[in-house]
C-alpha cells in the first residue's frame, strides 16, 4: 500500500494541474485497490466515535464502526420501520415506548483480534457514551442499559421515545466498541479504533490522515476495495487539484455558489454525491443585543433576506426551508401552507417600513462575526448584501472557523449563522438551538441557543417537553409543528436554507448505491473502482 | 614664457542639475516613462472609480454567476455574480491608498526613531536598535501577519500593520545616515553656537538624510501593495465584501476552473503596478541618490 502525505498531494496536485491547464492530461497511474478521499480539515483529531467533534473525522469512523441498527446506505430512515438489522438482528419496543429489547447478531468479530462482540460490549459502549462524550444531552434520556444473556440487551428510558432508533441507537456516539480494547488502550483509544465495521484502522497519522484496510473477518459482505485513505487537505484549491489530477478519488466539496457547475464544466465525468436536505443553515438573532430585542427589527430582517435566493445561489446544493425543517421532514412546512403573516416574502421596502416603525427610519448597523469556511462565508455575504438593500448594514468580521465557533459559544456574536446536519427528528434542532437549557453562556459553558430564546423572552420549552414525552409519532409531529409556528412568530432563529452535503467523485469510482440523504458521511464498503 | 592658456585645460563640466537628471532618467528611458504612465493610469482609475466602474462592485446577481467576459461584463462575473471589472476598479483604491499611505507613515515613524537613535546614541540608541533588530529579524509578511492577527482586519488596521512592518527598515537607514551626518562640521558648528537639538535635527539632519528615505519609500510602495494583496489573500487584509486585488484573487481561487478571470485580472493588475513602482523607484534612486546608483 502506498501512502501519501498532504505535502505530496499538494505538490503533485499543483504539478498535475499545471500540466492539465496546458491541455495535457497526465496519464493517471491509478491503483484500483485503494480509495482516497480528500477531507476538508487540517488534520485528524479522533477516531473514537464518542469523541469526534470535527465532522470530517467521521468519514473514517463511518467505515470502522457500526451501530445496532442502520438505515439503508445513502438514506435517512424517516420512519422507525426503515431501519435495518445491523449488529442487532431484531428488536421490540414496549407499548409505552420506554423499554427497548435488542437481540444481538452472533459471531460478530472485533478488529485486531479483540474477539466476538457480546452484550457486554454493547452495555459498555452505551454506558460510556451516556457518561461522557459529545452527545450526553440526547443520551440523557436513557435510564439504563442491561445485558440479557450474551446476545441480548434491554434499554430502559426515562421518557417515552418512539423514535429511539433514530435519536439514540443510530448515532455516532453509540457505535459499538470493544470493551476489552477500550479498557486496555485507555486514552490511546481516542486515536486508535477497534470496531466491527467493514474496514479497520491501519494507521492514524496526525499529520496526514487515517489509513484503513479491509477487515477480512467482517460479518457481512466484505468490502470490495482493499484500502481506504482519508487524506486531510484543508486547502480547497489543493484538494480540487488533487481530485482533478486523479491523486484522490473523492473530495469533500467546496460548498460555494457555482462550484458544482464549474467542476462539471472542467470534467464532465465527475459525479456529485449529495445528501438532501444535508446541513440546516440557521441564523440566530441575539435577543439580548438591542435592537434585536424588538420584534419589528427581527421581522424586518426576515423580510430583507431573500431565502429562496440564498438557496438558489447555492444550487444545486441549496434547498428552501419555510421554517426550521425542510418540507419533506416531520413538522416541515411548505411556504404556501403557512399562515400568511408567517410566510415572510422577500420585501426590502416592507423591511424598511418595519425598521421605521421600530424607531430606525435610517436603518441599523451592527457587527457580526462569520467563519471563513466557504459555506458560511458565501451564505453570509449573500445575506449581508440583501440586508444592505433594506438599510441594514451588517459589518462582517470573517475569521478562522474554529475561533468563530468558540466566539459563538461565548455569546460574542449578534447574528450567528450555524450549520448542522440533523436526522428527521425535529426536536434535536429545537433542543440544541432553541431550548433554554441550551442557552449560550459568556463563559463558553452554555449550549447552542445563541439567541437566548426561552430566557430573554418566553420560548418553546413547554412545547418541546410535550413533544419529547409524546408516545406516538403523530402526537410528536403535531407538537413539533406548533413549535415551528411559534418560532416563526417570535423569530429568534431563521432557517436560511438547507445545504446538501456534497462529495465530488471521479467517474471511475462507483459507490455501489446512490446517496440520497443521511448524515455528512457514508460508507465505502460497496464501492468499486476501475482503472 | 609660459603662456598656458586656460584652453589647454580639460574642460570641467558643471554637475548636472537635478532637473537635468530627471530629464535623463525619466524621459530618456522608455521603461521608466512607461512605468510612470502605468502608475498615472492606475492612480486615475482609483480616483475616478465611481465614474469608471460600470456596476456597483458589491451588487450580486445570481442569474449570472461565474460568467466569462462579455460585452456587459468585460472581465466576467464572480461566484456571487458581481462584475469583476468593477471590483478591480474599486479594488485599485484599496491597493493604491494603502500602497502610498503605509510607506509614508512608516517613513515618518521609522525616521524619527532612527534619527533619535543615531543622534543621541548611548542607551537610547541601544534600546531602539535592539527593538529594531528584533523586528527586522521577522520577514515583513510574517510580521504583518502577526500584527494583523492581533488587530484584526479593517482599513486602518491594515495601514497600521503594513506601516509597522516597514518601520524597522526606515529606522535602520535613518540611524546609519544620521550617524554619518552627525560627524559633519556643519552639525558640530551648529552645536558649538548653541542651536537647540530639535532645530539641528529638523534643519541640518533631516534634509541631509532625506534622499535615501525617499528612495526607500518609493521602492517600498510596490512592497506595500504586494503586502496588502498578500494579507487580503490570506483573509486578514481588506475584508469582504469590499474588494481589493488580494481578496479578489482569494475569492477567485475557489472557482479557478469555473471562472479564472478574477484571478487573472487581479493578478495582472498587481503585477503591472508592482513592476511599475519598482522601475519608477529605481529611477527615483538614480536621481536622488546617484552614488548608490553607480
Amino acid at each position: 500500500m502506498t501512502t501519501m502525505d498532504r505535502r505530496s498531494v499538494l505538490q503533485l496536485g499543483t504539478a498535475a494541474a499545471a500540466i492539465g491547464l496546458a491541455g495535457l492530461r497526465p496519464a493517471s497511474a491509478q491503483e484500483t485497490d485503494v480509495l482516497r478521499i480528500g477531507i476538508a480539515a487540517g488534520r485528524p483529531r479522533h477516531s473514537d466515535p464518542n469523541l469526534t467533534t470535527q465532522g470530517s473525522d467521521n468519514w473514517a469512523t463511518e467505515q470502522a464502526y457500526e451501530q445496532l441498527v442502520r438505515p439503508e446506505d445513502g438514506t435517512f430512515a424517516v420512519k422507525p420501520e426503515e431501519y435495518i438489522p445491523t449488529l442487532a438482528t431484531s428488536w421490540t419496543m414496549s407499548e409505552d415506548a420506554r423499554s427497548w429489547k435488542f437481540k444481538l447478531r452472533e459471531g460478530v468479530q472485533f478488529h485486531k483480534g479483540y474477539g466476538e462482540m457480546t452484550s457486554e460490549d454493547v452495555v459498555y459502549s452505551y454506558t460510556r457514551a451516556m457518561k461522557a462524550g459529545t452527545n450526553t444531552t440526547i443520551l440523557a434520556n436513557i435510564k439504563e442499559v442491561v445485558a440479557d444473556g450474551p446476545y441480548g440487551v434491554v434499554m430502559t428510558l426515562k421518557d417515552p421515545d418512539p423514535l429511539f432508533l433514530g435519536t439514540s441507537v443510530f448515532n455516532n456516539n453509540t457505535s459499538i466498541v470493544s470493551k476489552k480494547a477500550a479498557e486496555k488502550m485507555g486514552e490511546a483509544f481516542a486515536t486508535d479504533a477497534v470496531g466491527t465495521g467493514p474496514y479497520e484502522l491501519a494507521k492514524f497519522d496526525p499529520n496526514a490522515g487515517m489509513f484503513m484496510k479491509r477487515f477480512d473477518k467482517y460479518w457481512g459482505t466484505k468490502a470490495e476495495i482493499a484500502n481506504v485513505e482519508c487524506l486531510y487537505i484543508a486547502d480547497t484549491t489543493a484538494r480540487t487539484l488533487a481530485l482533478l489530477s486523479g491523486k484522490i478519488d473523492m473530495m469533500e466539496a467546496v460548498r460555494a455558489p457555482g462550484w458544482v457547475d464549474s467542476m462539471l464544466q472542467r470534467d464532465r465525468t465527475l459525479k456529485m454525491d449529495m445528501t438532501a436536505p444535508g446541513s440546516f443553515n440557521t441564523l440566530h438573532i441575539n435577543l439580548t443585543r438591542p435592537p434585536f430585542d424588538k420584534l419589528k427589527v427581527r421581522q424586518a430582517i426576515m423580510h430583507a433576506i431573500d431565502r429562496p435566493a440564498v438557496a438558489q445561489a447555492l444550487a444545486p446544493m441549496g434547498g428552501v426551508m419555510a421554517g426550521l425543517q425542510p418540507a419533506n421532514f416531520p413538522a416541515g412546512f411548505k411556504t404556501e401552507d403557512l399562515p400568511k403573516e408567517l410566510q415572510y416574502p422577500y420585501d426590502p421596502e416592507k423591511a424598511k417600513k418595519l425598521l421605521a416603525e421600530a424607531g430606525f427610519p435610517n436603518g441599523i448597523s451592527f457587527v457580526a462575526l462569520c467563519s471563513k469556511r466557504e459555506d458560511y462565508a458565501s451564505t453570509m455575504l449573500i445575506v449581508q448584501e440583501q440586508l444592505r438593500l433594506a438599510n441594514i448594514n451588517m459589518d462582517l468580521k470573517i475569521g478562522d472557523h474554529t475561533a468563530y465557533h468558540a466566539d459563538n459559544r461565548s455569546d460574542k456574536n449578534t447574528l450567528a449563522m450555524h450549520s448542522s446536519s440533523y436526522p428527521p427528528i425535529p426536536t434535536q434542532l429545537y433542543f440544541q438551538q432553541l431550548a433554554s437549557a441550551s442557552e449560550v453562556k459568556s463563559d463558553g459553558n452554555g449550549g447552542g441557543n445563541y439567541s437566548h430564546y426561552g430566557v430573554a423572552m418566553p420560548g418553546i420549552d413547554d412545547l418541546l417537553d410535550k413533544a419529547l414525552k409524546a408516545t406516538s409519532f403523530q402526537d410528536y409531529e403535531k407538537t413539533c409543528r406548533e413549535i415551528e409556528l411559534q418560532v416563526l412568530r417570535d423569530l429568534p432563529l431563521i432557517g436560511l436554507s438547507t445545504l446538501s452535503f456534497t462529495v465530488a467523485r471521479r467517474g471511475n469510482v462507483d459507490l455501489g448505491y446512490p446517496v440520497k440523504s443521511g448524515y455528512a458521511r457514508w460508507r465505502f464498503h460497496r464501492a468499486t473502482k476501475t482503472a | 614664457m609660459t603662456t598656458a592658456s586656460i584652453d589647454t585645460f580639460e574642460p570641467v563640466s558643471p554637475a548636472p542639475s537635478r532637473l537635468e537628471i530627471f530629464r535623463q532618467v525619466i524621459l530618456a528611458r522608455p521603461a521608466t516613462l512607461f512605468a510612470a504612465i502605468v502608475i498615472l493610469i492606475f492612480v486615475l482609475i482609483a480616483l475616478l472609480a465611481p465614474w469608471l466602474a460600470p456596476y456597483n462592485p458589491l451588487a450580486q446577481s445570481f442569474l449570472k454567476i461565474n460568467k466569462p467576459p462579455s460585452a456587459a461584463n468585460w472581465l466576467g462575473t464572480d461566484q456571487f455574480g458581481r462584475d469583476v471589472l468593477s471590483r478591480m476598479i474599486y479594488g485599485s483604491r484599496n491597493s493604491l491608498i494603502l500602497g502610498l499611505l503605509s510607506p509614508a507613515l512608516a517613513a515618518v515613524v521609522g525616521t524619527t526613531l532612527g534619527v533619535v537613535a543615531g543622534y543621541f546614541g548611548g542607551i537610547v540608541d541601544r534600546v531602539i536598535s535592539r527593538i529594531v533588530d528584533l523586528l527586522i529579524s521577522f520577514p515583513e509578511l510574517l510580521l504583518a501577519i502577526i500584527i494583523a492577527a492581533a488587530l484584526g482586519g479593517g482599513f486602518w488596521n491594515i495601514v497600521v500593520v503594513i506601516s509597522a512592518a516597514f518601520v524597522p527598515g526606515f529606522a535602520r537607514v535613518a540611524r546609519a545616515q544620521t550617524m554619518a551626518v552627525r560627524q559633519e562640521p556643519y552639525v558640530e558648528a551648529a552645536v558649538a553656537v548653541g542651536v537647540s537639538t530639535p532645530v539641528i535635527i529638523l534643519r541640518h539632519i533631516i534634509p541631509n538624510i532625506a534622499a535615501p528615505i525617499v528612495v526607500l519609500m518609493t521602492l517600498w510602495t510596490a512592497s506595500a501593495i504586494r503586502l496588502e494583496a498578500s494579507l487580503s489573500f490570506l483573509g486578514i487584509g481588506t475584508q469582504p465584501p469590499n474588494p481589493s486585488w488580494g481578496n479578489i484573487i482569494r475569492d477567485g481561487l475557489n472557482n479557478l476552473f469555473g471562472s479564472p478571470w478574477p484571478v487573472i485580472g487581479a493578478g495582472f493588475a498587481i503585477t503591472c503596478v508592482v513592476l511599475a513602482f519598482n522601475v519608477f523607484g529605481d529611477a527615483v534612486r538614480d536621481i536622488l541618490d546617484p552614488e548608490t546608483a553607480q
Side-chain angles (χ1 to χ4, degrees):
Chain A
M1 183 174 89
T2 53
T3 58
M4 299 180 61
D5 62 16
R6 280 182 301 155
R7 179 166 300 186
S8 58
V9 167
L10 229 146
Q11 284 167 346
L12 284 167
T14 313
I19 298 167
L21 284 171
L24 299 162
R25 292 193 155 254
S28 50
Q30 295 187 341
E31 308 130 273
T32 51
D33 65 340
V34 52
L35 189 65
R36 298 191 175 99
I37 179 167
I39 286 173
R43 49 176 45 83
R45 292 196 193 140
H46 300 105
S47 71
D48 180 343
N50 193 35
L51 294 179
T52 49
T53 45
Q54 167 172 285
S56 299
D57 289 345
N58 292 331
W59 282 106
T61 63
E62 187 74 358
Q63 317 306 326
Y65 293 98
E66 290 174 314
Q67 296 79 2
L68 296 183
V69 301
R70 289 181 62 90
E72 180 56 50
D73 283 330
T75 67
F76 256 138
V78 178
K79 292 180 197 131
E81 55 269 28
E82 290 169 21
Y83 282 99
I84 50 178
T86 308
L87 295 180
T89 50
S90 62
W91 52 90
T92 51
M93 174 185 88
S94 67
E95 225 165 78
D96 64 356
R98 274 198 169 96
S99 174
W100 290 73
K101 264 189 177 174
F102 294 88
K103 190 169 178 313
L104 302 182
R105 190 178 295 278
E106 294 181 31
V108 174
Q109 292 295 318
F110 277 113
H111 300 156
K112 301 175 186 175
Y114 275 96
E116 195 193 0
M117 178 200 76
T118 63
S119 54
E120 206 184 340
D121 299 299
V122 176
V123 172
Y124 175 80
S125 302
Y126 272 76
T127 315
R128 74 174 195 137
M130 285 151 61
K131 260 193 235 156
T134 53
N135 211 359
T136 49
T137 43
I138 282 173
L139 300 177
N141 190 35
I142 305 177
K143 197 159 129 197
E144 59 172 357
V145 178
V146 291
D148 178 15
Y151 302 109
V153 171
V154 179
M155 305 190 193
T156 320
L157 311 184
K158 292 172 190 159
D159 286 325
D161 185 1
L163 302 176
F164 183 59
L165 296 181
T167 56
S168 311
V169 179
F170 177 56
N171 191 305
N172 219 17
N173 301 73
T174 51
S175 300
I176 305 307
V177 301
S178 160
K179 182 184 175 189
K180 206 161 47 166
E183 285 183 343
K184 187 176 156 197
M185 292 183 196
E187 281 187 10
F189 195 75
T191 55
D192 209 333
V194 179
T196 61
Y199 285 97
E200 64 180 324
L201 187 68
K203 186 172 133 200
F204 183 99
D205 182 339
N207 294 314
M210 292 194 241
F211 300 84
M212 328 194 67
K213 60 176 192 207
R214 178 168 50 213
F215 179 42
D216 287 320
K217 290 183 181 167
Y218 183 56
W219 59 269
T221 312
K222 314 265 184 297
E224 300 271 353
I225 298 176
N227 302 289
V228 166
E229 298 182 5
C230 300
L231 301 171
Y232 285 64
I233 314 171
D235 183 79
T236 52
T237 313
R239 205 162 72 246
T240 306
L241 292 173
L243 180 80
L244 289 172
S245 64
K247 296 302 161 195
I248 55 175
D249 303 294
M250 293 181 278
M251 66 172 276
E252 288 195 292
V254 180
R255 295 195 293 170
W259 189 84
V260 168
D261 283 346
S262 69
M263 285 298 280
L264 291 175
Q265 264 172 30
R266 176 77 188 156
D267 184 349
R268 280 273 150 217
T269 65
L270 288 181
K271 303 276 183 277
M272 296 289 165
D273 296 316
M274 283 183 216
T275 61
S279 305
F280 292 46
N281 290 351
T282 52
L283 189 65
H284 290 260
I285 306 182
N286 194 330
L287 300 167
T288 62
R289 301 286 171 89
F292 302 122
D293 51 339
K294 292 192 159 85
L295 179 62
K296 287 207 165 147
V297 172
R298 302 199 296 276
Q299 287 171 336
I301 289 174
M302 193 66 165
H303 277 296
I305 298 176
D306 188 350
R307 291 175 294 150
V310 174
Q312 180 60 38
L314 294 156
M317 299 179 269
V320 178
M321 280 196 290
L324 294 173
Q325 299 290 329
N328 61 337
F329 265 33
F333 281 93
K334 288 199 176 96
T335 306
E336 57 269 26
D337 296 338
L338 284 168
K340 202 133 196 85
E341 74 278 10
L342 299 183
Q343 292 182 3
Y344 299 103
Y346 173 59
D347 188 347
E349 289 312 312
K350 184 157 188 195
K352 285 183 196 166
K353 219 174 112 203
L354 282 162
L355 280 181
E357 286 170 24
F360 303 99
N362 301 321
I364 56 171
S365 296
F366 59 93
V367 175
L369 307 175
C370 179
S371 161
K372 72 175 177 190
R373 206 175 80 182
E374 59 274 358
D375 50 340
Y376 279 81
S378 55
T379 302
M380 286 305 276
L381 283 167
I382 295 167
V383 168
Q384 177 188 47
E385 177 63 12
Q386 293 175 347
L387 291 177
R388 191 176 68 84
L389 301 177
N391 282 343
I392 301 171
N393 296 304
M394 174 168 70
D395 182 9
L396 278 183
K397 299 273 177 248
I398 300 178
D400 175 68
H401 187 67
T402 312
Y404 168 74
H405 279 301
D407 284 341
N408 277 351
R409 286 263 166 192
S410 329
D411 195 22
K412 288 192 182 138
N413 211 348
T414 48
L415 240 55
M417 178 181 157
H418 186 80
S419 175
S420 214
S421 65
Y422 289 99
I425 299 164
T427 41
Q428 289 201 356
L429 186 151
Y430 305 151
F431 184 79
Q432 286 178 358
Q433 302 194 33
L434 291 165
S436 58
S438 305
E439 189 202 7
V440 65
K441 297 266 173 15
S442 55
D443 62 5
N445 288 327
N449 173 1
Y450 304 140
S451 61
H452 300 265
Y453 190 48
V455 180
M457 65 182 287
I460 44 94
D461 292 323
D462 294 343
L463 284 170
L464 181 59
D465 202 38
K466 191 172 151 196
L468 290 174
K469 289 199 166 114
T471 50
S472 79
F473 181 70
Q474 286 73 21
D475 288 347
Y476 173 82
E477 191 183 13
K478 189 167 159 268
T479 317
C480 287
R481 287 172 86 89
E482 285 177 46
I483 292 177
E484 288 283 317
L485 296 174
Q486 179 72 41
V487 171
L488 281 169
R489 274 191 292 273
D490 294 342
L491 293 177
L493 185 64
I494 295 174
L496 285 176
S497 77
T498 58
L499 187 59
S500 292
F501 196 81
T502 307
V503 166
R505 168 166 55 90
R506 286 178 67 84
N508 62 331
V509 174
D510 185 351
L511 276 184
Y513 59 89
V515 173
K516 294 179 199 151
S517 63
Y519 289 111
R521 54 184 183 262
W522 43 87
R523 300 213 282 185
F524 302 142
H525 63 140
R526 289 156 71 181
T528 50
K529 183 175 169 182
T530 50
Chain B
M1 196 174 96
T2 55
T3 56
S5 90
I6 58 163
D7 291 341
T8 59
F9 284 106
E10 285 280 313
V12 177
S13 58
S17 72
R18 286 209 166 149
L19 190 70
E20 183 59 29
I21 300 177
F22 178 81
R23 202 174 297 142
Q24 281 173 10
V25 171
I26 304 279
L27 301 182
R29 289 190 201 169
T32 315
L33 188 64
F34 185 70
I37 293 171
V38 169
I39 293 173
L40 190 69
I41 290 174
F42 275 98
V43 169
L44 284 176
I45 288 175
L47 285 174
L48 304 175
W51 293 277
L52 288 178
Y55 299 93
N56 178 339
L58 305 181
Q60 304 176 347
S61 167
F62 292 102
L63 296 174
K64 43 177 196 179
I65 287 177
N66 290 336
K67 293 286 180 225
S70 65
N73 306 98
W74 290 4
L75 281 178
T77 58
D78 70 2
Q79 56 178 341
F80 295 101
R82 300 177 296 202
D83 181 48
V84 173
L85 180 64
S86 305
R87 288 183 69 70
M88 285 201 29
I89 290 174
Y90 272 91
S92 69
R93 294 189 142 188
N94 275 324
S95 296
L96 289 181
I97 295 174
L98 284 163
L100 295 169
L101 191 60
S102 308
L105 262 178
V108 172
V109 178
T111 307
T112 310
L113 285 174
V115 168
V116 167
Y119 188 84
F120 293 104
I123 183 81
V124 178
D125 181 27
R126 261 176 278 158
V127 170
I128 292 179
S129 294
R130 289 302 84 76
I131 294 173
V132 167
D133 285 348
L134 181 78
L135 292 176
I136 223 162
S137 63
F138 290 99
E140 283 155 21
L141 182 61
L142 191 63
L143 188 60
I145 289 173
I146 294 169
I147 305 172
L151 290 180
F155 181 83
W156 287 108
N157 282 354
I158 298 310
V159 171
V160 171
V161 164
I162 299 178
S163 306
F166 288 146
V167 162
F170 281 108
R172 194 168 258 197
V173 170
R175 174 177 172 272
Q177 294 285 325
T178 307
M179 287 170 85
V181 170
R182 202 190 179 304
Q183 312 298 328
E184 297 288 339
Y186 57 84
V187 175
E188 283 177 11
V191 174
V193 296
V195 179
S196 71
T197 307
V199 175
I200 294 176
I201 288 177
L202 286 176
R203 195 169 292 167
H204 300 292
I205 306 267
I206 303 267
N208 287 299
I209 64 165
I213 302 284
V214 171
V215 170
L216 215 53
M217 229 165 79
T218 328
L219 286 172
W220 280 358
T221 300
S223 302
I225 291 171
R226 207 168 32 79
L227 207 52
E228 190 279 334
S230 308
L231 289 174
S232 299
F233 177 79
L234 294 171
I236 46 183
T238 305
Q239 291 296 299
N242 296 321
S244 97
W245 293 338
N247 71 22
I248 291 172
I249 293 184
R250 173 194 168 89
D251 284 353
L253 218 49
N254 279 344
N255 267 318
L256 197 58
F257 301 109
S259 168
W261 295 100
V263 175
I264 292 172
F268 182 72
I270 294 172
T271 310
C272 282
V273 172
V274 169
L275 200 63
F277 270 106
N278 271 329
V279 171
F280 192 73
D282 281 346
V284 172
R285 187 191 54 202
D286 292 350
I287 298 167
L288 293 179
D289 199 3
E291 282 170 32
T292 323
Q294 281 158 16

